[in-house]
Amino acid sequence: MATEIFNKQKTIDLRKKHIGPSCKIFFGHDPIKIVRASGQYMYNEKNEQYLDCINNVAHVGHSHPEVVRAGAEQMKLLNTNSRFLHDNLVQYAQRLQATLPQKLSVCYFVNSGSEANDLALRLAWQHTGHKDIITLDHAYHGHVSSLIQISPYKFHQLPQPQNSEHVHVAPSPDIYRGKYREDHPDPATAYADEVKDIIGKAHAKGRKIAAFIAESLQSCGGQVIPPVGYFQKVAQHVRNAGGIFIVDEVQVGFGRVGTHFWAFQLQGEDFVPDIVTMGKPIGNGHPMSCVVTTKEVAESFMASGMEYFNTFGGNPVSCAIGLAVLDVIKKEDLQGNALRVGGYLTEQLEKLKERHPLIGDIRGCGLFIGVELVKDQIKRTPATAEAQDVIYRLKEQRILLSTDGPNRNVLKFKPPMCFTTEDSDLVVDKMDQILTDIEKALDLGLAASKDTQDMQSKRKGFLEDNGHELCPNGTSDLHHIPKSNKKQRTK
Amino acid sequence: MDLLNTNTRFLHDNIVQYADRLSATLPKKLCVFYFLNSGSEANDLALRLARQYTENQDIIVLDHAYHGHLTSLIDISPYKFRKLEGQKEWVHVAPLPDTYRGLYRQDHPDPAQAYADTVKDLIDEVHQKGRKIAALFVESLPSVAGQIIFPNGYLPKIAKYVRDAGGVFVADEIQTGFGRVGSHFWAFQLHGEDFCPDIVTMGKPIGNGHPLSCVVTTEEIAGAFTANRVEYFNTFGGNPVSCAIGLAVLDVIEKEDLRGNAVRVGSHLKKLLKQLQCKHPIIGDVRGVGFFLGLELVKDRVTLTPATEEAALLIKRMKEKHILLSTDGPWESVVKFKPPMCFSIEDAERLVEQIDLILTEFEEAAQQEEKKK
């Protein structure tokens, strides 16, 4: 395939014409066209290199030759559904299971994180016979209908409140910005008690809990690391109520946290969830995902008598790719790399924090790091505009980073696992300069604040001229949506 | 894969080229695409689009329909929900327009209108309950329900009724798209040039097995979906590898004239099966178009008692002869043919020959049983 078929403007025009406008693009006023990628680097149509600090999906590095080879070779041989026996499926299930606690032994293969989380819900409902789901504030579990209902990150953005009766939202265990902070004597118990209260209230209304679901580390919620012990306590409350614990590893699995293969393992050896969902990095970008659960839950699901068939799930090509990813993680000691480089990057960022008042918090495990920007260290006022500024300026320096969190002020690092200390030095160096510039502009009193306002209103004006709106994670819109469109009907 | 595989938040030529090529196969007003990874994801998005656009909640589906395995889709798949959670109050089921076994059969003067009227009546019932229709979801050719071919005129009529009621028409082409019917690229096109759904979902064949699917709709519907300012992001959907594969599939369909093959070999196969039907009373009905065919087995051509055990035995015996076939329909009595589009005349002849032999063996065995009595 040629790297470029159309010139960039034609690509933009065709995209505006044919691609759903809800599908946002990074840096809408000046989007990036990527034609090639390798390792932790992406290349635009002019062959200019960008350092990718965003793409946890390209887990073992973009276009890793071993993964490509495994996929291509299997595609030549066979790609069919799981109603026939095939070795790749069973071998892959076996290798995955070996990374997990023993009781998590039954795998279902599907094609996306969303499909996995939806199946996890179905498993929970069937196993417990209950209906209600407890989710965390600012959680994001996927884009299909059932998951938007349990993703406050999404349903909070909707114009009409969409609170579903069967969904209960617990406070996110964010010890920097949440209800109980780092100065609280026991935030794990405090946050877990919130869940206990929710269960109590649900029971008082005659409702029953099917499951508690949480991302092991909230990403869209702002790179949140739950205090150790939180999951264990919550699990106890939920299981006492007849529910089960679903851990969503879609963003963070496969060694990203460095010390462990799965992020839930950070909570301690004594914590074992009932269901684990995996996605994103699992196939280095290939559409695949997985749900692993216990025999008991799987048997309940089977007892309904209805087949679960997923047309593409568990096909030999996906499994071959999944196996290759596991092999590369091991061979290249990527988990070790995440620990070392992640530790190094965190250290460098901590040094930056000492010099930059804009940095409120640095938190992370391995190559999952968040830098929360604030205008005021005490009040912790989110520095939303400044965070956007940082990522725009980094993009000009050819470094790709994104923001998230409910206030869009957390810079998130979750790069391909082959990220190096040199890459870390580069990012930190550029961030240092950029933060210095931004802080200077803020510090120079009225004159500077006017400048900053000018800059910001210029940016806003530019964006509005082009019909763009900034979205929570820094993406924006290529399209201008005339208000009249909404109510038109085809009769 | 060697070059690049990343998400749609960056510009890339493959996705726009692919959308452009797909749009060329569709009526003009269907021009806005969303790419996803499975038929189920596609149908779920179609539901979301319909509800956002119409601001209504209720969905009409056909009996025995199957639209996917996600929670939201089990709710609109009688094939599934009848055995699981049961029917939700916002789901309404219209009789399957099966002119062989359904409410109105081949001897009815106007089955299309009669079946369409059942949808009209259903809409009235919904309105009387104070509810409003968001969409009518229909597989362009119901497969799981037993390889059903709609009576002529049925789809355009029901589309009109649902639109009059403020809903949209969703054509699920996941089983049937990409030239399978031979005469057209999309099965909904069998209903005439003037017939155009509001949303079309595609899956299964689209990537020749690669996890890929698509939803296409009108600018108005896409605009309404965007108007709430919430992003739609699908991590893997529309990635350059999936689009490259999708493009290659379109190229091969064209280069190898697979649609033409579906017409030629499909009609030959149908002819052979009809000949078998004359010979074997167990074959109640032969129906289909292109490479989408069904053979309905019955124990009795008058009472139409489904020959479920015989159908199961037939495919078991065929497997022993190294020919893979499956059954479907509410009683698993319809043998379904939807082979890869490169199926040949020789394959068709061998297939029919073996079915003939096996059905003959069944009849001989039955005669022996009769003699013993």
Side-chain angles (χ1 to χ4, degrees), chain A residues 1-8 11-12 14-15 17-26 31-37 42 55 57 62-63 67-68 71-72 75 79 84 111-115 118 121-122 125-126 140 143-146 148 154 157-159 279-280 282 284-288 304 306-312 315 318 321 400 469 471 473 475 477-478 481 485-491, chain B residues 1-17 19-20 23 29 31-41 44 47-48 51-55 66 69-72 74 79-81 83-85 163-164 166-168 198 203-213 218-236 239 241-242 244-245 247 324:
Chain A
M1 200 95 213
T3 52
E4 225 199 344
I5 307 161
F6 308 117
N7 69 40
K8 189 174 176 183
T11 309
I12 293 176
L14 278 174
R15 182 152 174 158
K17 184 176 176 197
H18 283 311
I19 303 300
S22 301
C23 303
K24 312 285 188 195
I25 200 153
F26 279 138
I32 306 178
K33 183 172 178 180
I34 297 294
V35 301
R36 184 169 73 84
M42 301 183 104
N55 264 305
V57 175
H62 287 283
S63 303
V67 177
V68 174
M75 273 180 88
N79 187 0
F84 299 98
N111 310 293
S112 66
S114 292
E115 284 197 343
D118 181 89
L121 286 181
R122 289 185 59 196
W125 285 323
Q126 183 79 16
Y140 178 56
H143 57 74
V144 297
S145 304
S146 60
I148 294 191
K154 276 291 188 191
Q157 293 171 29
L158 293 165
K280 292 191 198 275
I282 188 174
N284 213 41
H286 184 81
M288 58 186 287
S304 73
M306 188 90 249
E307 181 188 18
Y308 177 79
F309 178 61
N310 188 305
T311 304
F312 302 129
N315 70 76
S318 297
I321 287 174
L400 298 170
E469 290 265 337
C471 298
N473 52 11
T475 59
D477 206 337
L478 270 183
I481 315 296
N485 248 4
K486 195 180 182 202
K487 290 280 182 180
Q488 281 171 31
R489 296 281 184 269
T490 45
K491 287 253 178 211
Chain B
M1 275 177 83
D2 234 348
L3 264 181
L4 174 73
N5 187 1
T6 193
N7 64 59
T8 53
R9 286 198 179 122
F10 300 100
L11 292 171
H12 195 277
D13 286 341
N14 289 6
I15 186 177
V16 297
Q17 190 186 22
D20 204 35
S23 76
K29 76 171 198 169
C31 60
V32 183
F33 294 84
Y34 300 83
F35 291 102
L36 316 92
N37 313 293
S38 67
S40 291
E41 283 194 345
D44 181 87
L47 264 181
R48 290 183 59 199
R51 285 184 162 146
Q52 180 92 10
Y53 177 69
T54 62
E55 296 178 345
Y66 178 56
H69 58 71
L70 293 169
T71 302
S72 57
I74 293 190
Y79 173 75
K80 284 280 184 186
F81 71 58
K83 298 180 193 171
L84 292 170
E85 286 100 44
R163 285 163 177 161
D164 287 345
V168 299
D198 301 293
K204 290 194 199 284
I206 187 175
N208 211 40
H210 187 82
L212 170 60
S213 68
T218 62
E219 272 176 17
E220 291 81 13
I221 292 176
F225 191 59
T226 301
N228 68 9
R229 300 257 164 252
V230 179
E231 181 185 17
Y232 177 79
F233 179 59
N234 188 305
T235 303
F236 301 130
N239 70 75
V241 176
S242 295
I245 287 173
L247 281 160
L324 298 171

